[in-house]
Structure formats: structure tokens, C-alpha cells
């Protein structure tokens, strides 16, 4: 199978489904005034995209990078899955460094929550695992929503390595973030951290639950016993 950009795009576009595309456009908030305004969808399901990523796994990296610039959501998703797969296969390699640098230089194309969530921890998280975490705090200051979400979702890899420091520091930075997608991301990572380090999550929540965004709190306490969940929600801890 040819691995050129034209062949990859022809292959995925032949699978386009207008009905699914219309649903995806609504689901990913691409309407006027929404956070992904103007994004275009082909209507190809994620499991199919993951299979396509395997089929074209030998594509040149520059082809994958060009695919990331596509106007179509699913083609950008395909590029990010392909990039993440390479980082999982050869973490900390020279190629991983190239992918990491390109990713952070082109976050304007990683412009929806699913695109961030399938890629940040593999591409950024794995690269920074044994390096300085300063890039995350630079992202945290960005006015671009997706940069901030990347910084938070990146910590998923740290959590898996039983590291909590950056999860908690970034969560505290985002307590005053105005966007709901950040509230969800922080709550999610706190919940994931709590699976391994429940005392650390509880200590953070006890300190901040009265002032943190409601959505963030709800996501964070999802796995708590009902009695404790209600105590947090009603401000009775």
C-alpha cells in the first residue's frame, strides 16, 4: 500500500459518511460561536481511524505532519494517532524528539478535546517523563485552550508512574480557568490520580472543593462513595 499523503487522504475520504459527519460536527461543537467553529468532519468512526493508522504506519513522518494540517477533523486525528503510536513504540528516541517538537509548535491543529486526549500523554508526557516539566507551565500560561488542556492531559503519563506533584500544581493553576473543557480535564486527572493515591486527591479536594468549579469537582469525585460525594457537593466536608 502506498503511503503518500494523497493515498492516505483518498483512502479515508472514500469512507466518509455524511450522516455521521453531521452528528460529529454537532458533537465536537463546530457551529458558529462554539469552541471548534468551522471545523469540518468526514464522518469516519474512531476505531476505523485507528485501523487506518496501522495500515499506513510506514508513512514518512513528513507526510504525517502534513496530514496534521488537514481541514478535516478525522485526518488530524489520524495524524495524531500515528504520531502517538510512534512515540509508544520508540519512546525517548530521536524520532520522538522530532514529533514532540513539531507537536508543540503546531498545537493550533490539535484543536479539540479528543485530539488532545489521544495524543498529549503519549507525545508530550512520555518525552517529559525524565525531563524538566517547565514546558507544561509555559503551556499553562497560554491563551489557547488546547495548549492548557495539553498540559493537564500530559500528566496522565506521570500518574501512571505514580507521580503526583505536577498533577496537583497544574490543577491548582487551573482552579480559576474559565473554560468548561479545562474543568473536565482537571477533574478527570484528579480522579485518575485518586485511583492510585486517594489520600493526595482527598487532601487537594478538602483544601479547594468549596471554591473549585462545580464540573471539576463532579468529575474528580465520581468514584467516591455516595456519602462522601454528597458531602463534597453540599459543602459539608
Amino acid at each position: 500500500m502506498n503511503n503518500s499523503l494523497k493515498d492516505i487522504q483518498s483512502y479515508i475520504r472514500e469512507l466518509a459518511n455524511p450522516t455521521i459527519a453531521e452528528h460529529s460536527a454537532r458533537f465536537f461543537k463546530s457551529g458558529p460561536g462554539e469552541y471548534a467553529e468551522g471545523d469540518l468532519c468526514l464522518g469516519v468512526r474512531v476505531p476505523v481511524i485507528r485501523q487506518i493508522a496501522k495500515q499506513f504506519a510506514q508513512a514518512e513522518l513528513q507526510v504525517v505532519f502534513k496530514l496534521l494540517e488537514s481541514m478535516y477533523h478525522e485526518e488530524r486525528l489520524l495524524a495524531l494517532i500515528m504520531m502517538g503510536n510512534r512515540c509508544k513504540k520508540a519512546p525517548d528516541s530521536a524520532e520522538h524528539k522530532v514529533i514532540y517538537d513539531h507537536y508543540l509548535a503546531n498545537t493550533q491543529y490539535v484543536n479539540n478535546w479528543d485530539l488532545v486526549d489521544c495524543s498529549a500523554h503519549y507525545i508530550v508526557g512520555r518525552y517529559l517523563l525524565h525531563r524538566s516539566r517547565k514546558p507544561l507551565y509555559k503551556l499553562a500560561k497560554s491563551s489557547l485552550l488546547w495548549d492548557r488542556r495539553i498540559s493537564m492531559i500530559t500528566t496522565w503519563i506521570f500518574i501512571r508512574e505514580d507521580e503526583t506533584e505536577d498533577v496537583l500544581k497544574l490543577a491548582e493553576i487551573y482552579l480559576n480557568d474559565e473554560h468548561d473543557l479545562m474543568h473536565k480535564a482537571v477533574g478527570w486527572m484528579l480522579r485518575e490520580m485518586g485511583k492510585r493515591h486517594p489520600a493526595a486527591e482527598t487532601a487537594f479536594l478538602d483544601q479547594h472543593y468549596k471554591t473549585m468549579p462545580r464540573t471539576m469537582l463532579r468529575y474528580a469525585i465520581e468514584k467516591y462513595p455516595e456519602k462522601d460525594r454528597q458531602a463534597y457537593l453540599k459543602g459539608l466536608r
Side-chain angles (χ1 to χ4, degrees):
M1 182 175 291
N2 199 312
N3 291 297
S4 71
L5 178 66
K6 181 179 178 180
D7 286 315
I8 295 172
Q9 289 181 320
S10 295
Y11 188 92
I12 189 171
R13 292 178 190 184
E14 286 179 4
L15 300 174
N17 183 314
T19 301
I20 296 174
E22 184 178 352
H23 174 270
S24 296
R26 291 195 302 271
F27 183 70
F28 290 115
K29 306 296 184 184
S30 64
E34 296 182 307
Y35 55 72
E37 180 176 356
D39 199 5
L40 300 177
C41 295
L42 290 168
V44 183
R45 302 287 193 190
V46 174
V48 177
I49 294 172
R50 292 192 179 279
Q51 187 58 43
I52 296 172
K54 294 179 181 178
Q55 290 175 241
F56 291 98
Q58 300 306 314
E60 294 289 334
L61 197 52
Q62 291 305 315
V63 170
V64 180
F65 288 166
K66 197 65 181 175
L67 188 64
L68 182 62
E69 300 175 13
S70 171
M71 70 178 76
Y72 292 110
H73 184 100
E74 290 91 341
E75 291 185 356
R76 298 196 303 280
L77 177 62
L78 174 60
L80 291 165
I81 290 172
M82 294 169 80
M83 290 161 67
N85 285 347
R86 292 182 185 220
C87 293
K88 285 188 284 183
K89 185 176 181 180
D92 217 25
S93 63
E95 184 176 70
H96 191 163
K97 175 65 162 61
V98 173
I99 293 172
Y100 166 84
D101 287 339
H102 190 84
Y103 183 87
L104 289 188
N106 291 275
T107 54
Q108 72 270 26
Y109 299 117
V110 192
N111 57 348
N112 214 309
W113 58 265
D114 64 316
L115 304 181
V116 173
D117 296 358
C118 79
S119 60
H121 51 308
Y122 293 127
I123 296 172
V124 182
R126 283 182 181 271
Y127 185 77
L128 295 182
L129 190 57
H130 303 298
R131 293 180 171 86
S132 168
R133 310 292 163 78
K134 287 183 179 180
L136 299 184
Y137 297 90
K138 181 179 179 180
L139 290 169
K141 296 177 181 178
S142 174
S143 60
L144 186 64
L145 165 63
W146 312 118
D147 283 348
R148 303 197 305 276
R149 188 167 174 109
I150 285 168
S151 73
M152 196 68 227
I153 300 302
T154 287
T155 66
W156 202 358
I157 284 292
F158 306 158
I159 291 167
R160 294 178 185 181
E161 297 295 324
D162 290 320
E163 295 186 19
T164 63
E165 182 178 355
D166 293 294
V167 184
L168 295 170
K169 285 182 177 179
L170 287 165
E172 192 163 23
I173 289 171
Y174 293 130
L175 286 173
N176 297 315
D177 197 285
E178 296 181 355
H179 206 288
D180 187 62
L181 285 178
M182 286 307 303
H183 304 166
K184 291 176 180 178
V186 174
W188 175 21
M189 290 302 104
L190 288 173
R191 186 177 73 231
E192 290 300 314
M193 183 189 70
K195 292 177 182 179
R196 292 174 174 266
H197 301 280
E201 182 186 7
T202 297
F204 183 89
L205 293 177
D206 285 350
Q207 182 179 356
H208 298 292
Y209 81 98
K210 289 185 178 180
T211 57
M212 68 197 304
R214 197 71 166 175
T215 298
M216 187 185 297
L217 176 62
R218 287 187 177 276
Y219 269 63
I221 63 175
E222 195 173 86
K223 299 299 182 180
Y224 275 62
E226 183 63 18
K227 180 180 178 182
D228 294 329
R229 288 184 67 254
Q230 291 303 319
Y232 278 120
L233 293 172
K234 295 176 181 178
L236 301 175
R237 280 285 294 185

